Amino acid sequence: MSTQIVGMENGRRRTVTFSQQVANILLNGVHYESDLTENAETGESQMSIKLLCIAIYRMPPSMRSLCTNHFLGWLSFEGMLLFYTDFMGEVVFEGDPKAPHDSEAYQRYNAGVNMGCWGMCIYAFSAAFYSAILEKLEERFSVRTLYFFAYLAFGLGTGLATLSNNLYVVLSLCVTYGVLFSSLCTLPYSLLCEYYQDPQFCGSSEEGTKRGMGVDISLLSCQYFLAQILVSVAMGPLTSLVGGAQGVMYFASLMSFVGCLYSSLCMVYQLPPSEGRGEVETGV
């Protein structure tokens, strides 16, 4: 009877929601501690800089692929977010921010920036709505499917925005931006909870490979800042080279399609039995 119950629990594991996964990690943390360590004092030792660096250096391949995918997502999203109002003013409204303030070109640019703020409002509403239904979608679709849809929608949204000068089309495409934002704020952490359901992923304190969920969450969050730094450094020369903010939107679209391929082909969604030995199975 106990074997059947365990089998049923494993079968349901892919259908629990993100909040339920977090609760399971918090409730079962003591259980993992007892399984992975024989010395209680070793398990309760404080994290030092050395142990933190070891934890990062010995990052499991599945965690490394998740961080890479998360970085690609924020890299594409940050480019659009930081330059969207400039794109509306320069490309859609054909304005010029360097023109004299009393010129028509400068007034068109200001009008485009104002309209871009409305586009960001549409994106915020779509992100709120998609966030509300995302947990229900996780019960019906796999994380891989949701990742693929989010990247594909954003890549098409940013790419088509540069090809159309119709204001209503460009504004309607802002809905796709909220889909990616909600996915980036939820799916990586949901998948991380899936990883922590396997005690082997947590590692061993005796071998110096034991991981903490807080460290891995911090590593995921760092991808946002790394992407922001790269976008801030690279987008200036890119806009100068292209001659306008449309180059940023093309870059965002390209990175989104790269993330779409990476999430489909290289991401680890189920931990293989040999995860602790460095062998990775990238398909589900």
Side-chain angles (χ1 to χ4, degrees):
M1 178 65 67
S2 60
T3 304
Q4 293 178 352
I5 294 176
V6 171
M8 292 174 62
E9 290 178 351
N10 291 334
R12 293 195 192 104
R13 182 170 295 175
R14 298 298 299 177
T15 63
V16 295
T17 62
F18 173 57
S19 56
Q20 290 172 331
Q21 290 170 340
V22 174
N24 289 337
I25 294 300
L26 295 177
L27 291 175
N28 297 330
V30 177
H31 173 70
Y32 286 153
E33 185 74 20
S34 61
D35 287 346
L36 295 174
T37 62
E38 296 179 358
N39 189 349
E41 295 181 357
T42 304
E44 295 176 356
S45 60
Q46 295 182 351
M47 174 67 73
S48 64
I49 298 298
K50 179 180 179 181
L51 292 178
L52 178 62
C53 294
I54 291 176
I56 296 174
Y57 177 75
R58 296 183 178 180
M59 185 187 307
S62 56
M63 185 64 194
R64 187 176 297 110
S65 68
L66 180 60
C67 287
T68 302
N69 186 66
H70 200 48
F71 173 76
L72 291 173
W74 281 119
L75 188 64
S76 60
F77 185 81
E78 284 296 320
M80 180 282 303
L81 186 65
L82 295 180
F83 290 88
Y84 183 77
T85 52
D86 286 332
F87 167 76
M88 290 289 289
E90 293 183 31
V91 180
V92 179
F93 280 72
E94 299 180 347
D96 185 4
K98 299 179 182 179
H101 289 189
D102 57 349
S103 64
E104 181 182 357
Y106 187 79
Q107 296 301 322
R108 288 199 304 268
Y109 175 79
N110 277 341
V113 171
N114 292 333
M115 191 59 65
C117 294
W118 284 109
M120 292 291 95
C121 185
I122 296 173
Y123 134 74
F125 275 109
S126 69
F129 175 77
Y130 193 74
S131 297
I133 66 173
L134 189 53
E135 282 199 0
K136 295 298 182 182
L137 293 176
E138 282 192 83
E139 296 177 4
R140 300 193 59 180
F141 302 98
S142 66
V143 177
R144 168 179 290 191
T145 301
L146 295 175
Y147 254 133
F148 180 85
F149 173 73
Y151 280 124
L152 181 63
F154 185 82
L156 292 175
T158 51
L160 293 176
T162 58
L163 301 176
S164 175
N165 292 327
N166 187 289
L167 176 62
Y168 298 103
V169 173
V170 175
L171 288 178
S172 63
L173 291 172
C174 292
V175 175
T176 63
Y177 309 158
V179 173
L180 180 61
F181 178 78
S182 300
S183 300
L184 291 176
C185 292
T186 304
L187 295 183
Y189 305 98
S190 179
L191 192 56
L192 182 61
C193 288
E194 291 284 350
Y195 292 164
Y196 270 88
Q197 297 298 322
D198 187 352
Q200 190 175 4
F201 177 85
C202 304
S204 171
S205 296
E206 295 179 354
E207 298 176 0
T209 61
K210 181 171 175 58
R211 309 191 60 78
M213 193 173 189
V215 173
D216 288 334
I217 290 177
S218 299
L219 289 175
L220 282 178
S221 300
C222 284
Q223 307 311 311
Y224 166 81
F225 300 103
L226 291 176
Q228 195 172 56
I229 292 173
L230 183 59
V231 167
S232 301
V233 172
M235 289 303 102
L238 179 61
T239 54
S240 300
L241 179 64
V242 176
Q246 66 268 24
V248 179
M249 298 295 282
Y250 280 128
F251 173 82
S253 180
L254 176 62
M255 288 296 101
S256 184
F257 284 122
V258 172
C260 188
L261 293 175
Y262 189 90
S263 64
S264 299
L265 303 177
C266 303
M267 278 282 292
V268 179
Y269 293 96
Q270 280 187 339
L271 295 180
S274 57
E275 169 71 15
R277 297 192 294 271
E279 299 175 6
V280 181
E281 180 180 313
T282 59
V284 181

